Structures are given as structure tokens and as C-alpha cells.
Amino acid sequence: MKSSVAVFKTLIFLAGLAPLLWLIYRFLNDDLTANPVEFLVHQSGFWGLVYLMVVLSVTPVRRFTRWNGVIKVRRMLGLFAFFYVFLHFSIYLFLDRELYWDEIIPDIVKRPYITLGFTAFLILAALALTSTRGWIRRLGRRWQKLHRLVYGAALLAVVHFWWLVKADIREPALFAVIWIGLMAARFKNAAGQQSKMKK
Amino acid sequence: MLIKNKERYTGREITSEKDYMRRRDFLKLSAWTLTAPALAPVRLFASDEDKNKYTALNAVRNKAMSIGEKPNSWTEITTYNNFYEFGTDKSAPSRNSRAFKPRPWSVAIDGLCDKPGHYQLEDLIPAKKLEERVYSLRCVEAWSMVIPWIGVPLKNILLKAQPRSTARFVEFTSVYRPSEMPGQRAHILDWPYMEGLRLDEALHPLTFLAVGVYGRVLPNQNGAPLRLVVPWKYGFKSIKSIVRIRFTDTMPVSTWQRLAPGEYGFYANVNPEVDHPRWSQRRERRIGTFFKRETQLFNGYADEVGALYKNLDLEKWY
């Protein structure tokens, strides 16, 4: 039993690492397009969003399949989401803006899509920092409340994506649909549980 | 008493039957666009030798009208494109444009002119008249490239049609061929793509009509067989695959302007002082270089074109 959990965790770990390995592979093959910085910013942001959606689907998957094992990889998936978001923000900061603060500060203050993205980054950073066993113990009941912020962060990330595309909103729209679906799945379950409790 | 307002439908929120029938296409396309970036690890074997597949053109470089910088590579110029007719990803045009047939090609020149006409491309721009010009192209997305175009000054073509004194603008229309242009099968932009210039801008000696690049005919992804190049304006003004040129007395509305008038104006002159609402235009990344560089007013052509905008408020007329 224990070893099957370890195998499952290892598989998820490799899946989480896959986009990074793929980007490194393309880097080594000089295949990051004619504009590598733009490509990496987009890719890291894209994978951050993907893993945010994956981590949000853990609870619905658990409820629908009644398989509690998935919960064991929730933290790892959340940390992978943060890892790609962190990569996204770092590439923006260092490679895209080249640490020109007179561009970065107005970006964050004046440009709504960056304001939202930055807010999502701060929330996810707080959640990543408090994801350790020690913090879970220290925060007690408040921990779960705090970590519900991940729904909001994911929504901000979707809107961030939506507002930055120039014309083709199909990809962000698909993420929005997924987010709404995952929220609905939760809400339905929570409502179902409450009505059960009333009985 | 509570009077409920009846919801008014303008008709816009109702999905048209045509779109409704294509809902599965939309879903398929959505699924595809979402997974495509992940499924594209295989390089297109893009290399500068790819150039040899294209017909060579003979043209002497017009040094007086060229910048001294080293051009970007063939691969950079032909695999990193904004040409939404073939998809919105930068690599999509080079992948999705193979079915496009740029020959034979005809262009209509009409509107307020004395000699309107329908021309075959070879008659409009004979191979003997071609010249090469090295321009930098500054995209509104804050990247730029140096490109050796081959073509003719637009002026030569326009004057042949003898524009009337009432003509004040020139409107350009791209080809609409959804069967060959997969991007046009989705309503990303209001197809066909349209652009416009003031007549004096269109007649400026820098304004160029390109049929080739790097000594070869234009690849499909670069706007084959015929495209505009206006080097002091953001790249989206340089409309591709042109089928119609029309003289008019009213200011044309360009496709991007129609989509987002607060972000894209009619003029779209390169200007580091006027930000795009969502990003700064102060600096740009020259493709192939690591650090960004300062963007120049009118993309470095301030001496040549500044006079066109003497009395124009560039903040207002972005």
C-alpha cells in the first residue's frame, strides 16, 4: 500500500516536472522560437494556469471517484502551480523587463492585467510559504480559510490571461469555462453535504 | 409598484445559426489551441536553407533607402510572424500557410481615381522594376526585426491609377479565403483584414509594396504575394496579401481599430512616448539580441516623415 502511494507521488512529480524538462530540451536544441523571452513568459504562465486548474480539480475528483488517495498529491500539485507562476514572474522581471523598475512599477500599478497577475502571484506565494506541516499546525482552522484563496488566485490568473490577449480569446475562455466548472462541482457537493446534514 | 424592465435583446447575444452549427468546430478548435503548444515540440526543421525553395528575384539594394544594420536571419523572418489569418501563435503562419495559393493573383485598384483597374500581379509589378530595401519593422508588441524587402515604392503604383484631387486616403484590403486560411474560419478579427493610410503617407517615398524578401519571393507566412511595408508605423499597418487598393475621401477604419479603438489608432506611428494601454512602447526587443533597446520616434525615420505630422497631436492621434 505504502509503495503504491510512493509510485503515484513519483508519477505526479514527473508530470509536474515535464513542462520544465520539455522547455529545457527545447532550449538545448535552440528551439525557443525567434523570441525566446516572450515564448518562455507565455509557456511558464500557461503551465502555471494548467497546474492551478489541476490542483483545483483534486477535490472534485476525490468526491466523484471516492478515491481519497488523490489528496496525497494536492500539496505537490499546488507547489508545481506556484513553481511555474514563480518562473513566469521571474522571467518577466529579469528577462523581459530587465529589472527596469521604472517600467515594472507602472506595469503593476497602471495596467490592470498585470495588477491582477501580480496579486495572484502574491496570494500563491503566501499559500506556498504556508504549505508546510508546521504552518498547518500553527494556523489551525484558519489554514483552510487562508488556502481557499487559491480559488480567487486562479480566477485572477484566468482574467490576467484574458485581458492580455490581443484578439484571440479562445484559450483564456477555455480556462474560464474549466474554472467555472470546477467551482460548480465544488458548490454542488458542498450544497449536497449541507442538505444531508440538515436531514 | 415594481416595474420590471423587459430585457432587451439587440440580437448580438444570440448565437447566429451559422456559428451554432459550427459549435463543435469551436470546441475542437479550442481543445486544439489549448493542447497545440504542448504538442509542438518537434522543430519544423526551419533552417536558412529553406530559402532555396523559393523563386529568386533580381533586385539591387537601394542603399539610400536602407538602414545599415544586419538583417535578421531567414529563419527568424519566416517562422516568427503575426498573420492571424493563419493562426494567432507566432509559429502558426509558417505551419498553417502551406495550402495558400498566392499565384495567380490579381489586385483591384479603384475608388476616387481616373484609371481604376484590375491588374495581374506581374503586370502591376514587373520583375524588372524591383529594388531591395533594408527596413526595420517595429511590431506594436514591442519587438522588432531588420528585414531586406524586395518590391517597388507604393507611389509608383498609386500614381498610375491617377488619383483624383478629392482622394485623401487609401484603403487596403487583404484576401479572404477561409478554405486556405484556417485562422479566418474563426471570428478572431473582422475578416477580411483592412488597413488605411493618408494619401500623403501612401505617396511617401519610404512606403513600399513588397513582393519578396531576402532575394526570394515572399513566403506565404510573410504576406505573399504582395504586402505593404510602412517602416515608421507599427507592423500591423503593413497589411499582407493585398487584393484591393481603394482611393477614398473618408478616413478608413482599420481592422485593429475596429476591434479595440482605445488601443489601436488609425495612425499607429511608432512612438516611445505614447504607451499602448497595456504595455510601454519605450523599449523594444530586436529579435536575435539579448537586451532590449530604446524605441525611436517614427522608428528612426523622424527626419524623413516628421513633416507629415507637424500639426498633429500624436497623443490624441495614436
Side-chain angles (χ1 to χ4, degrees), chain A residues 151-194:
Chain A
Y151 313 142
L155 178 62
L156 292 179
V158 172
V159 179
H160 165 74
F161 188 18
W162 195 303
W163 280 354
L164 77 86
V165 297
K166 282 165 67 197
D168 187 359
I169 53 139
R170 288 172 299 179
E171 262 187 53
L174 200 54
F175 276 112
V177 167
I178 293 170
W179 184 86
I180 291 167
L182 291 171
M183 288 298 110
R186 256 160 223 285
F187 181 70
K188 210 178 139 209
N189 266 299
Q193 280 189 343
Q194 273 196 349

Side-chain angles (χ1 to χ4, degrees), chain A residues 53-74:
Chain A
M53 296 301 146
V54 170
V55 75
L56 286 188
S57 64
V58 166
T59 297
V61 164
R62 183 168 69 131
R63 297 247 170 88
F64 285 121
T65 63
R66 300 185 180 196
W67 176 48
N68 285 327
V70 275
I71 204 82
K72 294 205 157 54
V73 295
R74 188 169 64 176

